Amino acid sequence: MEYGVNLGILVDAEDNPQMKLYALGALELYDALYNIKTVSMTIFQPRRENVSIWTEKALLGRQNHVGI
């Protein structure tokens, strides 16, 4: 989850490279402990009244899915 408090740019979680990197880090830590099949990424910007959620299969192939 990304929590933004400024009034800056509205950010979308869908296919967001930064969120994918966060998800890859979490997978690196927890994939050996859990059978992770999907990853949900959320951006919450309360001052912009924005909640953006994106879910995808657990970034199979990992680095190829980041898009940067």
Side-chain angles (χ1 to χ4, degrees):
M1 175 180 273
E2 175 83 11
Y3 180 81
V5 294
N6 63 12
L7 290 173
I9 298 169
L10 189 68
V11 180
D12 189 18
E14 184 173 340
D15 208 25
N16 183 309
Q18 182 177 357
M19 294 298 290
K20 286 182 178 182
L21 288 173
Y22 291 155
L24 286 172
L27 282 172
E28 188 71 26
L29 287 173
Y30 298 110
D31 200 30
L33 299 173
Y34 305 101
N35 186 18
I36 300 171
K37 302 239 187 258
T38 59
V39 176
S40 291
M41 295 162 267
T42 303
I43 294 175
F44 177 51
Q45 295 175 290
R47 292 185 181 176
R48 293 295 308 257
E49 297 181 4
N50 178 43
V51 177
S52 178
I53 301 171
W54 190 49
T55 301
E56 78 168 41
K57 294 190 180 192
L59 299 171
L60 301 173
R62 299 204 162 104
Q63 297 89 326
N64 296 333
H65 283 77
V66 174
I68 58 171

